[in-house]
Amino acid sequence: MANDGMNDFASVDAEMKRRDESIRRHLADMQASTFSHANSYVTVVVFGSYAGMFAVWSNVKDRLSADMTYWTGMLIAISMMSFVAFEIFKMIILSRNMLAVRKLLIRDMSPEERDDLRSEVSGKANIFLSRVIIPVWIAALAFTATTGFGAGILLLTAFIRGLAKI
């Protein structure tokens, strides 16, 4: 009888661990999907912002002092370089993940082995996404936005000065 109680406890514990792992896998998949959509949206917004900033710059460049031109150019360049650096980082990570998935496609293995390897590759990719890529993305986005907004503020200042004829 005592063994039955221990077996029941072990069975319940194993089921709880299985459910917890299933929930964690589901949450990791949700996070990966959310990141993918958010990253795509941000990329479009950033490119649109740069286009708008260059349009404003071309309209006010004659009103900018040499110092304001240098500061604006430097802030835009830093903003764009940080954005491009993150995109390159992301391309390297995606290439690494694609090579890992490639193993699933070209190796001869049983369906069980393929499923185990798929789970392992997916799990590693999702862990890396949550622990490394998302924090780097947030930092890069904050830096890109801060320097971009700095350049935008300089341009708007020149635009406002032009309107006020100062």
Side-chain angles (χ1 to χ4, degrees):
M1 275 305 202
N3 274 347
D4 286 343
M6 291 297 270
N7 287 339
D8 288 344
F9 180 73
S11 175
V12 168
D13 189 45
E15 176 62 18
M16 291 295 285
K17 285 181 181 177
R18 186 197 64 72
R19 289 179 69 201
D20 182 55
E21 184 58 33
S22 174
I23 290 168
R24 289 175 60 133
R25 217 175 301 128
H26 179 70
L27 291 172
D29 290 344
M30 282 176 38
Q31 185 177 44
S33 176
T34 301
F35 170 75
S36 177
H37 292 301
N39 187 51
S40 296
Y41 175 75
V42 166
T43 300
V44 170
V45 169
V46 167
F47 278 122
S49 298
Y50 287 137
M53 196 174 322
F54 284 118
V56 171
W57 196 0
S58 70
N59 285 315
V60 298
K61 66 183 171 193
D62 297 337
R63 306 264 322 148
L64 293 174
S65 68
D67 285 345
M68 280 185 82
T69 300
Y70 294 136
W71 276 103
T72 301
M74 182 183 70
L75 288 171
I76 290 172
I78 290 171
S79 177
M80 290 176 74
M81 288 171 57
S82 66
F83 180 75
V84 169
F86 175 75
E87 290 299 317
I88 291 170
F89 167 74
K90 188 174 70 173
M91 283 188 301
I92 291 168
I93 299 306
L94 289 174
S95 297
R96 191 185 90 184
N97 288 345
M98 288 183 345
L99 288 174
V101 170
R102 184 175 181 270
K103 291 177 188 176
L104 291 168
L105 299 172
I106 63 172
R107 277 192 190 164
D108 287 332
M109 61 183 82
S110 71
E112 294 82 18
E113 288 174 307
R114 193 173 318 280
D115 190 48
D116 288 345
L117 186 57
R118 181 203 53 80
S119 291
E120 180 183 330
V121 166
S122 177
K124 285 180 182 178
N126 285 335
I127 288 170
F128 193 74
L129 175 75
S130 4
R131 291 187 181 163
V132 177
I133 296 175
I134 291 176
V136 169
W137 179 63
I138 291 169
L141 183 59
F143 189 71
T144 297
T146 301
T147 53
F149 270 101
I153 288 169
L154 290 175
L155 291 174
L156 284 175
T157 302
F159 200 75
I160 292 168
R161 287 176 54 191
L163 288 173
K165 307 283 190 240
I166 298 175

